[in-house]
Amino acid sequence: RLFCSKQWYQRRVRGMSHIVYSKTYTTPRRPFEKERLDSELKLIGEFGLRNKREVWRVKYTLAKIRKAARELLTLEDKDPRRLFEGNAILRRLVRIGVLDENRMKLDYVLGLKTEDFLERRLQTQVFKLGLAKSIHHARVLIRQKHIRVRKQVVNIPSFIVRLDAQKHIDIAINSAYGSGREGRVKRKRMRAGAGGAGDNDEDED
């Protein structure tokens, strides 16, 4: 290159590749807006989220989908790009359970809400299936690798569950809640109980 920075040249000489990371969320333009703060706090409590970054991440995903839908709606109905890309977006949304099959139109994509995507999180689905006592308990079970989707153990609470995989959510085979061996604390208590029983037998003798 004729005009290149010193840092770029040093990277090339040392064999370092320049990694570009894409954005996963955007921060609000107005950080202290009361209505938005209240709504985000409500979502965090309702869906057991860790922080507001998780809300912003879903909002950013929804914003990108809605932006793509708005651009396609400006094209003609028979436009090849609108037919191809529009059907791809709609099929994807139906597959993850965000959009109903009888509402496969781009107009309905603009009406999607953040809650529609949060409902499809693995954490929410585990709680609704009754595998956890609360939405927060569901997050703990997932992080401690007690939950599987089909045969795969998933430890990511924000994992988006597809419709065809929803009925395959269950307790992991190797989990202490399933057919696996007891947990560390329970084994410790059992050993302590067995030792106490042995001491009592010796006292009786």
Side-chain angles (χ1 to χ4, degrees), residues 27 70 114 200:
T27 54
R70 276 198 305 270
T114 309
N200 291 335

Side-chain angles (χ1 to χ4, degrees), residues 109-162:
V109 175
L110 300 179
L112 291 175
K113 298 179 181 178
T114 309
E115 291 88 337
D116 298 328
F117 284 85
L118 292 174
E119 287 283 349
R120 301 306 306 167
R121 285 165 52 96
L122 179 61
Q123 182 180 355
T124 311
Q125 294 299 317
V126 167
F127 174 57
K128 289 197 169 184
L129 288 171
L131 299 174
K133 299 174 184 177
S134 67
I135 192 74
H136 303 288
H137 184 220
R139 189 181 188 95
V140 173
L141 290 179
I142 295 167
R143 288 299 300 162
Q144 293 181 355
K145 300 183 179 181
H146 291 298
I147 301 297
R148 65 183 169 94
V149 180
R150 291 195 171 94
K151 294 181 180 180
Q152 181 69 44
V153 174
V154 182
N155 66 337
I156 302 171
S158 61
F159 177 81
I160 298 297
V161 181
R162 294 185 178 182

Side-chain angles (χ1 to χ4, degrees), residues 11-133:
R11 282 197 209 102
R12 294 288 291 183
V13 170
R14 295 171 188 170
M16 295 172 60
S17 61
H18 182 62
I19 303 172
V20 179
Y21 296 98
S22 60
K23 274 199 252 181
T24 57
Y25 70 93
T26 55
T27 54
R29 291 180 181 176
R30 299 171 63 186
F32 302 110
E33 190 178 6
K34 187 177 185 304
E35 292 181 3
R36 183 189 52 78
L37 289 172
D38 292 341
S39 65
E40 286 177 353
L41 203 61
K42 183 182 176 184
L43 289 175
I44 289 173
E46 184 180 351
F47 293 97
L49 306 179
R50 187 179 64 175
N51 50 36
K52 292 192 176 181
R53 195 183 303 126
E54 292 196 326
V55 180
W56 297 340
R57 194 167 57 205
V58 174
K59 284 185 176 180
Y60 184 64
T61 303
L62 177 58
K64 287 197 296 184
I65 293 172
R66 291 179 64 181
K67 181 182 177 183
R70 276 198 305 270
E71 288 180 0
L72 293 173
L73 283 169
T74 59
L75 304 174
E76 296 292 333
D77 293 341
K78 301 295 182 181
D79 190 282
R81 184 190 164 199
R82 175 171 174 172
L83 292 173
F84 181 76
E85 294 185 11
N87 286 334
I89 291 173
L90 294 171
R91 282 198 305 271
R92 178 184 165 203
L93 294 175
V94 169
R95 195 185 308 126
I96 64 176
V98 174
L99 200 65
D100 294 328
E101 289 187 4
N102 54 359
R103 301 177 64 191
M104 286 187 66
K105 289 184 179 179
L106 289 173
D107 297 319
Y108 291 114
V109 175
L110 300 179
L112 291 175
K113 298 179 181 178
T114 309
E115 291 88 337
D116 298 328
F117 284 85
L118 292 174
E119 287 283 349
R120 301 306 306 167
R121 285 165 52 96
L122 179 61
Q123 182 180 355
T124 311
Q125 294 299 317
V126 167
F127 174 57
K128 289 197 169 184
L129 288 171
L131 299 174
K133 299 174 184 177

